Amino acid sequence: MSPTAAEPEAAGALERARDALAAARLGLDVAGSDEGRRVRDALAAQIDDYLLPRLRARDAPLLLVVGGSTGAGKSTLVNSLLGAEVSPAGVLRPTTRAPVLAFNPADRRWFEDDRVLPGLARATGGPAGAGALLLAPSAALPEGLALLDSPDVDSVREENRSLARQLLAAADAWLFVTSAARYADAVPWELLQAASERGTALALVLDRVPDDAADEIAPHLRAMLAERGLGGTELLVVPEAGLEGGLLPAAALAPARAWLDALAADARARAAVIQQTLDGALASVGPRLEAVERAVAEEGATARRLLGEVEAAYARALEEVEQALASGSVLRGEVLARWHEVVGTGDVMRSLEARVARARDRVRGALTGRRPAEEVAAAVETSVESVVRAAAARAAERAARAWGDEPAGRSLGAGAAGLDAASPGLGERIEGEVRAWQGEVFELVRREAGGKRATARLASLGVNGAGLTVMLAVFLQTGGLTGAEVVIAGGTSAVSQKLLEAVFGDQAVRSLAARAREDLLVRVRRLLDGEAARFAALLEPAVAPPEALASLLEARAALVRARL
């Protein structure tokens, strides 16, 4: 951090970054998301566990975290440096279930509250439960220096691995322990590389080195460190030796003992280590935020693409319904049969040109009967329901197929049964909307027909008869009546404009059909939107909201203003 940076402003910028990270959901199967999640979680934890506490308490003791692989001898090393068993060691793995923090009794105030590692409960005087921090005061440590024995970084237990990484990210310095048999393992090197990228002060203990292999193993490890940009890392070689009372003998412990004593004796050296790690960690926040931004942006683009496929599928379904309404196909089958029962077939159509008035009277008389009107309405309901359900089923199949072409969509759809078909309750919802639409058509006729000379003939049919006639007009034409004849059922019957004009009477009444049609399409659109929402509901909890990316960008800008 720049010497001129104001610590309150820096803390505020870090808090803003932490909050932005919390909103950065990354739940899709997208290239880069795994890395984005890892960086997000590690950065958020380090802000809470290290950066904010250290900024607010520069004079707190140096926290040296001892980490390493399973069986590397971490706990034995810590106990030997303290001259007493404060951390249990043994051959059963995983041995370290709770981290053990050793410190000088005079520094207790720094560790018994939540200033350091605020997410961990405190325990003293005995074994601590999982997720707790065991406090172990020890006069063997000088004031200003604390040792924390962490769980194994490669533990078979996920909770141990996660906690180990959290503790390492909270350290002012790492004392990383590996063994002659394990020093080339991949996991430790990943963590050492992360330490280097964050500027964390680091020393490496090579434990249990056989005398006849020391001249080969130590140079090889130094070469590996240099290849990875860690050539300046302090390497402490501890030879293989039998334990004395569970502790390493003084001769074997000497390299690590000398290094720790030098650090303990020099307050300026400790302050320099703290500053090195703090500066390195602060400098890494911006680039790591940017990495999370890239992952969030990529997931956002993927989510928009997936939603676009859904929207296109259901927009096409709406077009299919509109075409069915305009083509007259809704009138086929049951609707046509019921309509013929009302108006007759042959006589009406054959005598239409010569006897329009008489045909109109016949229609009026038939439609004022209760039962025929109800049967036509029921047939309309069934026909519309069939058209909408079929369109929705095709849309679901298209959308599901498009999602299946992408890993992100495929993984989301895998946990949602029936996504490639219309939802089970769609039929009932369609019936409800069509009934409501029919009721609205009747109400529309009631409002518009009464008292108007231009609609007197329509009103003479009664609300039910006029309403049904308007409904049938919806299914015959697009946007009202035109001069085109609509042929139904393969040309065997026709409903002519002249018959409808004889009933409707003028342009004002024709507009009723257009208004009724628009109302029906609004309802169909609402039904299809509900079907499409099933897909959006799978995306919503997995993807960061649109404002999350803006929050990350604003947080990074705040870091720049705070000179971090």
Side-chain angles (χ1 to χ4, degrees), residues 159-460:
E159 61 268 27
N160 277 359
R161 297 196 303 272
S162 177
L163 182 56
R165 284 163 170 75
Q166 178 186 357
L167 297 176
L168 289 170
D172 289 309
W174 287 6
L175 184 61
F176 205 85
V177 183
T178 188
S179 67
R182 302 288 305 274
Y183 72 90
D185 290 356
V187 172
W189 285 104
E190 292 173 6
L191 293 171
L192 292 173
Q193 191 65 47
S196 175
E197 293 169 357
R198 300 173 195 175
T200 303
L202 175 67
L204 185 62
V205 174
L206 179 60
D207 195 16
R208 300 173 181 170
V209 180
D211 290 339
D212 59 357
D215 292 341
E216 178 183 350
I217 293 176
H220 184 225
L221 179 53
R222 286 192 175 93
M224 292 179 70
L225 288 167
E227 288 173 3
R228 291 164 173 78
L230 297 167
T233 301
E234 186 84 28
L235 179 60
L236 310 171
V237 180
V238 175
E240 190 171 40
L243 300 181
E244 299 175 356
L247 306 178
L248 289 168
L253 185 63
R257 174 87 272 167
W259 178 84
L260 186 65
D261 287 348
L263 187 62
D266 190 340
R268 289 187 178 181
R270 293 197 302 274
V273 167
I274 291 172
Q275 192 63 50
Q276 173 190 334
T277 298
L278 181 59
D279 287 347
L282 288 171
S284 75
V285 174
R288 288 195 278 170
L289 268 180
E290 193 170 4
V292 177
E293 289 168 15
R294 288 194 297 271
V296 169
E298 180 60 30
E299 284 210 1
T302 300
R304 288 190 294 275
R305 189 165 59 251
L306 291 174
L307 280 177
E309 295 285 1
V310 174
E311 290 169 358
Y314 283 92
R316 182 174 168 186
L318 183 61
E319 291 174 0
E320 291 172 358
V321 174
E322 288 186 275
Q323 290 169 5
L325 297 185
S327 68
S329 62
V330 172
L331 291 181
R332 293 187 178 95
E334 185 71 11
V335 176
L336 182 63
R338 296 306 176 193
W339 174 249
H340 285 173
E341 288 178 7
V342 170
V343 299
T345 306
D347 314 358
V348 173
M349 308 318 284
R350 283 194 299 269
S351 62
L352 183 60
E353 296 294 337
R355 297 186 295 275
V356 165
R358 188 166 50 181
R360 185 185 64 238
D361 293 340
R362 184 171 182 177
V363 169
R364 181 190 309 121
L367 289 177
T368 54
R370 180 176 179 82
R371 180 174 176 79
E374 290 177 349
E375 290 178 348
V376 173
V380 167
E381 178 186 311
T382 300
S383 185
V384 173
E385 191 271 341
S386 176
V387 167
V388 177
R389 184 198 290 271
R394 288 189 293 270
E397 185 178 354
R398 286 192 294 267
R401 185 168 56 247
W403 276 32
D405 290 339
E406 293 203 35
R410 197 159 50 244
S411 61
L412 286 173
L419 199 63
D420 58 350
S423 63
L426 179 61
E428 292 181 6
R429 292 192 293 275
I430 296 173
E431 291 172 4
E433 287 287 2
V434 174
R435 289 191 192 115
W437 171 70
Q438 290 177 331
E440 182 60 29
V441 171
F442 293 142
E443 182 60 30
L444 177 65
V445 168
R446 183 178 292 109
R447 288 196 307 266
E448 297 295 324
K452 294 184 179 179
R453 180 180 177 184
T455 61
R457 282 171 292 183
L458 179 62
S460 69

Side-chain angles (χ1 to χ4, degrees), residues 456-508:
R457 282 171 292 183
L458 179 62
S460 69
L461 290 174
V463 171
N464 285 350
L468 287 173
T469 306
V470 170
M471 290 179 205
L472 293 174
V474 167
F475 304 137
L476 287 174
Q477 304 291 341
T478 301
L481 298 176
T482 71
E485 182 182 75
V486 179
V487 179
I488 307 299
T492 58
S493 300
V495 179
S496 168
Q497 175 195 2
K498 293 186 177 181
L499 173 58
L500 293 170
E501 283 184 343
V503 175
F504 280 0
D506 62 13
Q507 183 63 39

Side-chain angles (χ1 to χ4, degrees), residues 1-14 55 58 275 278-279 282 558-564:
M1 183 175 70
S2 166
T4 60
E7 288 184 7
E9 185 178 1
L14 289 170
L55 276 176
R58 293 293 194 109
Q275 192 63 50
L278 181 59
D279 287 347
L282 288 171
L559 291 171
V560 173
R561 291 193 296 271
R563 301 182 185 179
L564 298 182

Side-chain angles (χ1 to χ4, degrees), residues 88 98 123-130 132 134:
T124 56
L134 178 60

